[in-house]
Amino acid sequence: MRSGNPSLKTEAFEKFKSSDMGRKMTIQGTVNKTFILLLLLLVTFVYSWNQFVSNPNGVLPLILVGAIGGLIVGLITVFVPKISPFTAPIYALLEGLFLGAISAQYEVQYGGIVFQAVLITIGVLLSLLVVYKSGLIKVTQNFRLGVAAATGAIFLVYIISFIGGFFGFEIPHLHEATPLGIGISVIIVIVAALNLVLDFDFIENAAEKQVPKYFEWYGAFGLLVTLVWLYLEILRLLSKIRSR
């Protein structure tokens, strides 16, 4: 993989070339599609948030539909990029359902935490975009492999933790608000943030290779995947800090 983000891999576009020079992927088109996906996510985010406010005990179906449905649609998009103009918006809507309810739960426990998490996520996105465009971070092969390996290790730990939960097994400090637990969350946030750099690199390279127009949706989808992960990890980190 060229990216830690499994939805954005070089192999996803290397075999494609745009036969219609008027219908090739552009960076600006990808940016526009990203904004569209964020707006769609915001719509269902607000809906799910309001549902939690009116009935906190009745949002579990929304969380399950958003999480499981988003995972299924995301995997379909990864394996069939050509349908991303249809699946990427669906993914955004489903993730909004999940994030809205989860965020509302955090907000009840730690007032103002959601606003802080959103601001930090936006700040990290813009900062890394500036750093990437300035050339301060060089996306070398070793950099790609390092971030991909770290990302894979994190998700492996999460899977073990998820499965272990059914058997009463917990990975020490991973979900705890101890100094070590906070340090682990900081590392995970850094890895998630570095995936943004790889996403920028993927989108830029794909546009240079003149891949088909629908890859604008695929690139926007991949960027949204990373942003959702980054936001959730920042939310978790802030909750650990606030709980102390």
Side-chain angles (χ1 to χ4, degrees):
M1 295 195 309
R2 147 258 55 89
S3 170
N5 183 341
S7 65
L8 296 184
K9 299 187 295 183
T10 303
E11 292 88 343
F13 64 80
E14 280 186 341
K15 61 182 178 180
F16 295 99
K17 295 293 180 181
S18 179
S19 58
D20 183 356
M21 296 303 292
R23 298 292 297 168
K24 63 184 180 181
M25 174 187 179
T26 64
I27 293 178
Q28 184 58 52
T30 306
V31 171
N32 295 339
K33 303 300 189 301
T34 302
F35 276 116
I36 292 174
L37 294 184
L38 288 173
L39 288 175
L40 291 174
L41 184 147
L42 182 61
V43 169
T44 50
F45 181 100
V46 172
Y47 170 78
S48 185
W49 178 291
N50 290 334
Q51 289 297 109
F52 178 87
V53 172
S54 61
N55 183 18
N57 297 322
V59 296
L60 182 58
L62 293 179
I63 294 176
L64 293 177
V65 170
I68 299 175
L71 176 61
I72 294 173
V73 173
L75 289 174
I76 293 173
T77 307
V78 169
F79 288 106
V80 192
K82 195 168 186 177
I83 64 173
S84 57
F86 306 100
T87 56
I90 296 174
Y91 172 82
L93 291 171
L94 290 170
E95 285 300 307
L97 291 177
F98 171 70
L99 291 180
I102 293 296
S103 297
Q105 291 178 348
Y106 274 100
E107 186 68 18
V108 169
Q109 292 181 283
Y110 314 100
I113 191 173
V114 172
F115 182 68
Q116 294 173 351
V118 170
L119 283 184
I120 294 174
T121 302
I122 294 174
V124 171
L125 171 66
L126 296 179
S127 298
L128 286 179
L129 180 59
V130 171
V131 170
Y132 172 74
K133 296 302 292 184
S134 66
L136 293 177
I137 293 182
K138 301 295 184 182
V139 184
T140 63
Q141 185 63 19
N142 287 336
F143 181 86
R144 295 186 183 106
L145 292 174
V147 175
T151 303
I154 290 170
F155 278 103
L156 179 60
V157 169
Y158 277 158
I159 291 173
I160 294 174
S161 176
F162 176 76
I163 296 175
F166 292 103
F167 302 97
F169 168 76
E170 292 185 359
I171 296 179
H173 303 289
L174 181 62
H175 304 294
E176 299 174 5
T178 62
L180 182 56
I182 292 174
I184 292 173
S185 286
V186 170
I187 293 173
I188 294 175
V189 167
I190 291 173
V191 173
L194 290 178
N195 270 275
L196 287 175
V197 177
L198 298 186
D199 295 343
F200 300 150
D201 182 63
F202 171 91
I203 292 170
E204 188 172 62
N205 287 335
E208 289 177 356
K209 290 179 180 293
Q210 299 185 347
V211 297
K213 190 73 172 177
Y214 66 80
F215 266 88
E216 290 178 352
W217 285 105
Y218 188 70
F221 157 76
L223 188 57
L224 185 64
V225 170
T226 302
L227 286 173
V228 167
W229 179 35
L230 177 62
Y231 167 76
L232 286 173
E233 294 300 343
I234 290 174
L235 202 58
R236 281 165 48 83
L237 173 60
L238 292 177
S239 69
K240 288 182 179 181
I241 296 173
R242 293 278 292 273
S243 67
R244 293 180 61 86

